[in-house]
Amino acid sequence: MTPEQAAATAKTGLATIVGAFAESPQTLRRARLLGLSGWAYHVSARAGALGEVRPETVAASIGMIAPEAVIDGWEATAKTSAPMEVATWHLHELCTWGSEQLGGFPRLARLHELTRRVVAAVDYAGLPLFAAWRAMPVPDQTPGAQAAVLLHLLHEHRLGVQLVAVRAGGLTPLQAIIAGPEGETGAVAFGWQPPYPPAGPIVRRLIWAESVADAMAGQAYAALDLGERVELIGLLESLRHRLAQ
């Protein structure tokens, strides 16, 4: 398994694991307690690590979500809370979730060790959200909490390199979504309004962008040797199935 193959294979598992946290009742409860809509919370919880920046900067950093939707969510949050406070609360909830949901994972120590080395190896040039999150102080030092944060960082890393690769492939974020498996359904979910471009002419560009993203993400997975990469993928798969039960 090459570093590029490890990055490509890890993509789905990371998205599923981090998605389990994002969709958990505790996380959704936090949005309600802050008086935010789910959309405003999603935007500010993810991009709040950037600090007090203009909404256009947030839209540029997130990339795949329609700028108008990002700006609306960011400005809605700013009326009641500082975005950095939302991100800090989000990190706290992530740690709590990690302690509860990952704390009993049989090979947690090994998962922590391997993910820590990959995260440490990431070159964050061009990845503002990853860099901002990696710089956030982690409030909980328990193994489950630490592992949850590392998995979140690896997922944010993948999202960041994906955006860079999409733009390098000559695609707009909307084109990349339309050419992907979710098509127009995904575009609606990410706040993009019709009319939408035809998918046919741009699918090959998206395939190329995916391969570039794998290569970029794989640079960090090169911090592990072959056996360790295979082991990490196995651990992610085991954890993904455990959370699905």
Side-chain angles (χ1 to χ4, degrees):
M1 179 180 287
T2 66
E4 292 82 2
Q5 290 170 335
T9 307
K11 176 183 175 182
T12 299
L14 290 169
T16 302
I17 294 167
V18 175
F21 160 67
E23 297 168 6
S24 68
Q26 298 93 324
T27 305
L28 299 176
R29 176 177 57 85
R30 174 53 55 190
R32 292 194 297 270
L33 290 175
L34 292 172
L36 299 175
S37 68
W39 186 257
Y41 183 83
H42 172 77
V43 170
S44 55
R46 185 179 173 201
L50 295 171
E52 300 298 324
V53 298
R54 295 183 181 276
E56 291 81 4
T57 302
V58 178
S61 299
I62 292 178
M64 301 305 290
I65 300 177
E68 295 81 3
V70 173
I71 292 169
D72 286 348
W74 189 257
E75 291 180 342
T77 299
K79 293 177 181 177
T80 59
S81 306
M84 177 60 83
E85 292 178 0
V86 178
T88 300
W89 272 112
H90 191 69
L91 180 58
H92 175 79
E93 294 294 326
L94 175 62
C95 288
T96 300
W97 178 85
S99 294
E100 295 174 353
Q101 300 298 322
L102 309 186
F105 186 58
R107 301 195 63 203
L108 181 60
R110 187 58 172 163
L111 176 67
H112 178 276
E113 168 63 17
L114 296 177
T115 54
R116 180 191 62 78
R117 286 165 55 193
V118 177
V119 166
V122 172
D123 180 349
Y124 57 70
L127 306 175
L129 283 173
F130 171 85
W133 273 105
R134 192 167 69 175
M136 290 274 284
V138 180
D140 188 337
Q141 299 302 308
T142 60
Q146 291 284 310
V149 172
L150 289 167
L151 291 167
H152 166 76
L153 285 169
L154 284 181
H155 180 55
E156 191 62 66
H157 171 232
R158 178 67 198 207
L159 294 176
V161 299
Q162 187 79 19
L163 177 60
V164 173
V166 162
R167 301 301 286 129
L171 294 171
T172 67
L174 175 57
Q175 287 176 323
I177 295 170
I178 290 296
E182 296 184 358
E184 292 188 3
T185 301
V188 172
F190 280 74
W192 297 94
Q193 300 297 315
Y196 301 124
I202 53 179
V203 169
R204 290 178 63 87
R205 288 190 182 186
L206 181 61
I207 293 172
W208 181 88
E210 289 281 359
S211 67
V212 171
D214 292 340
M216 293 176 64
Q219 293 172 357
Y221 288 82
L224 307 179
D225 64 28
L226 172 60
E228 290 169 334
R229 291 193 292 270
V230 172
E231 184 181 6
L232 175 57
I233 296 305
L235 290 171
L236 291 176
E237 282 300 297
S238 295
L239 181 56
R240 183 169 72 89
H241 288 302
R242 179 187 178 94
L243 292 173
Q245 294 176 353

